[in-house]
Amino acid sequence: ALGDTLWTKTYGDTLAFQTGRNIKQTADGGFILLGQNTKNNATGDYWLVKTDSMGNIEWEKIWGGFFENSPTSIDVCTDGGYIITGGTKNTGPGTPSLANIEIIKTDSLGNVEFSKIFGGIFEDAAWSITQTQDGGYLFGGGLTIADPCGGGCEESFPYAIKLDSIGDTLWTKTYGASEDQTTFRKVRELSDGSFIGVGQIFQTDMATFGRVEGLLVKFAANGDSLLYKTYLKLNGPISNHDIKDVQPTIDGGFICTGVVFPKPPDTGTQDLWLMKLDSNGCVNLGCTVGLEENLSKRDEFMVYPNPSNGIFTIKNKINSSAEILNIEIYNVFGVKVLEQRLVNSQANLSNLPNGVYFIRGINDSRSYTHAEKLILQK
């Protein structure tokens, strides 16, 4: 209770690469450790280690397949078994080069009872799993729907999956808009049966061109969005924020922790990030509650075709007759590479090299309106 060390243990051998990814205490006072082990597979298998209260191994299991498995999260179930999630390249539409989401239920001895695969043909993210009050399971991660530049600019959604007690899917949901580096890191059930998820979102709004912001989504038992908010500590257009975990607090709010990573013009190095939020997800009392369906802005515009060979049409999303007159183009490092006045709602970027850019509309008074990502492929 005072933080003094009672014991330390290491597991595995010197012949293979082994790492622990997540650990929980079990009902008997022991521990269940989820990790990755290359003993039987050079790219990595699921590794489950059960110990007593002193850390002595009671049993261990290694399983997987020829291709890589990347375990991330485990929870102890009411029947004494375990629910596990991770990425696998052994089965699913993205395999064997790209990982799909796998959810595995084992009994109390680590024997697999069911395995479920989710995801698509692109790299999906498996980060969090928990058993829910109804005996089912809730998953949180990221679902990638496109990879427009062939790696490094995947379009992904924060992704939640609700399973019943035998592993059948009750619902799957995505939240917000698809952006690069957008995912849930942790999902938890709240006492009223609703859920809270935190993570990060690649932001391309009127003030940014690729900044990764912290994300919090509260959703109902059926998955419908109740609250959708983003957070930042740094002001630079390409600085990174990532919320890793969230816990409810006794006042009805939340405590969140994660990291901030400054990029120029922000200065410094990566730091720990801690936020206390009220029940509306506000850092400051009285802030506006952000519902997902209210996120659209009157100054949003659409860019098409996207990807394009250099000629893009730009129209206002709400009012197609409201012309966007001027644009600024930024590269992925936040450097402005072009400023242009549109002709007949068209931008000509054919002189720029292929790649990912961010386009921001501005009016004649130099007021910024919105930002969108675009892909140039000639």
Side-chain angles (χ1 to χ4, degrees):
L2 298 176
D4 292 335
T5 302
L6 300 178
W7 51 260
T8 64
K9 296 282 185 176
T10 59
Y11 306 97
D13 56 42
T14 59
L15 303 178
F17 174 81
Q18 293 113 351
T19 181
R21 298 287 175 82
N22 200 203
I23 191 169
K24 293 289 173 66
Q25 190 168 34
T26 52
D28 61 2
F31 302 92
I32 189 73
L33 171 69
L34 175 68
Q36 187 185 53
N37 197 319
T38 64
K39 179 178 180 180
N40 301 328
N41 175 6
T43 61
D45 282 326
Y46 293 102
W47 186 32
L48 205 56
V49 180
K50 173 66 174 70
T51 79
D52 62 18
S53 61
M54 297 301 296
N56 301 306
I57 293 179
E58 296 180 334
W59 54 260
E60 61 180 310
K61 297 279 186 178
I62 301 174
W63 76 94
F66 182 78
F67 299 103
E68 183 181 14
N69 302 280
S70 299
T72 54
S73 180
I74 189 171
D75 198 18
V76 179
C77 301
T78 54
D79 64 359
Y82 309 102
I83 191 73
I84 298 164
T85 192
T88 182
K89 295 183 178 180
N90 285 284
T91 183
T95 59
S97 58
L98 300 171
N100 285 121
I101 296 160
E102 186 168 18
I103 299 174
I104 303 165
K105 171 67 171 64
T106 78
D107 64 16
S108 60
L109 297 176
N111 301 305
V112 175
E113 295 181 334
F114 67 73
S115 171
K116 303 289 182 176
I117 300 296
F118 298 88
I121 62 174
F122 304 106
E123 182 87 11
D124 301 303
W127 285 112
S128 179
I129 195 77
T130 186
Q131 188 173 40
T132 51
Q133 299 173 53
D134 60 4
Y137 311 100
L138 179 69
F139 164 90
L143 177 68
T144 302
I145 61 168
D147 184 10
C149 60
C153 61
E154 292 87 355
E155 298 289 335
S156 59
F157 285 99
Y159 187 40
I161 302 168
K162 182 66 171 67
L163 304 180
D164 65 15
S165 60
I166 60 174
D168 291 336
T169 303
L170 297 178
W171 51 259
T172 65
K173 295 278 188 176
T174 59
Y175 300 89
S178 64
E179 298 287 358
D180 191 12
Q181 302 181 60
T182 302
T183 187
F184 284 136
R185 296 291 193 188
K186 179 71 72 173
V187 292
R188 294 190 183 276
E189 186 177 22
L190 303 177
S191 59
D192 63 359
S194 64
F195 304 107
I196 195 80
V198 293
Q200 61 179 47
I201 180 170
F202 188 90
Q203 196 68 275
T204 54
D205 62 16
M206 61 186 295
T208 69
F209 304 96
R211 179 171 59 209
V212 179
E213 297 186 0
L215 172 70
L216 180 144
V217 182
K218 184 179 180 182
F219 44 103
N222 66 355
D224 289 347
S225 177
L226 301 173
L227 183 71
Y228 186 105
K229 297 191 81 69
T230 61
Y231 305 87
L232 67 153
K233 185 69 175 175
L234 306 172
N235 295 315
I238 57 172
S239 291
N240 287 348
H241 306 72
D242 192 358
I243 303 177
K244 301 286 191 177
D245 202 358
V246 61
Q247 290 277 6
T249 51
I250 59 175
D251 61 359
F254 308 98
I255 189 77
C256 302
T257 188
V259 296
V260 293
F261 185 74
K263 295 184 180 181
D266 288 326
T267 59
T269 56
Q270 180 172 297
D271 286 310
L272 177 129
W273 188 22
L274 189 69
M275 283 194 301
K276 174 64 175 71
L277 309 175
D278 67 14
S279 60
N280 291 323
C282 298
V283 179
N284 301 308
L285 294 178
C287 77
T288 302
V289 177
L291 293 177
E292 183 178 7
E293 51 268 30
N294 293 331
L295 290 179
S296 61
K297 306 177 184 69
R298 294 185 60 83
D299 58 5
E300 285 187 350
F301 56 83
M302 50 190 173
V303 181
Y304 61 91
N306 193 9
S308 167
N309 62 2
I311 306 298
F312 295 83
T313 298
I314 302 170
K315 292 282 189 180
N316 189 288
K317 259 184 189 177
I318 307 300
N319 181 5
S320 59
S321 64
E323 274 194 284
I324 307 296
L325 298 178
N326 303 284
I327 58 167
E328 292 178 341
I329 305 296
Y330 291 76
N331 63 20
V332 294
F333 302 105
V335 177
K336 185 167 71 174
V337 295
L338 182 66
E339 184 171 345
Q340 190 176 100
R341 190 165 183 90
L342 302 185
V343 177
N344 297 323
S345 299
Q346 287 192 334
N348 187 342
L349 310 183
S350 56
N351 289 332
L352 296 176
N354 287 349
V356 179
Y357 296 89
F358 299 97
I359 181 171
R360 184 159 71 171
I362 54 177
N363 60 29
D364 285 337
S365 64
R366 307 299 297 175
S367 174
Y368 294 108
T369 58
H370 186 60
E372 290 285 346
K373 181 191 299 183
L374 57 86
I375 311 296
L376 183 59
Q377 292 179 342
K378 292 180 284 187

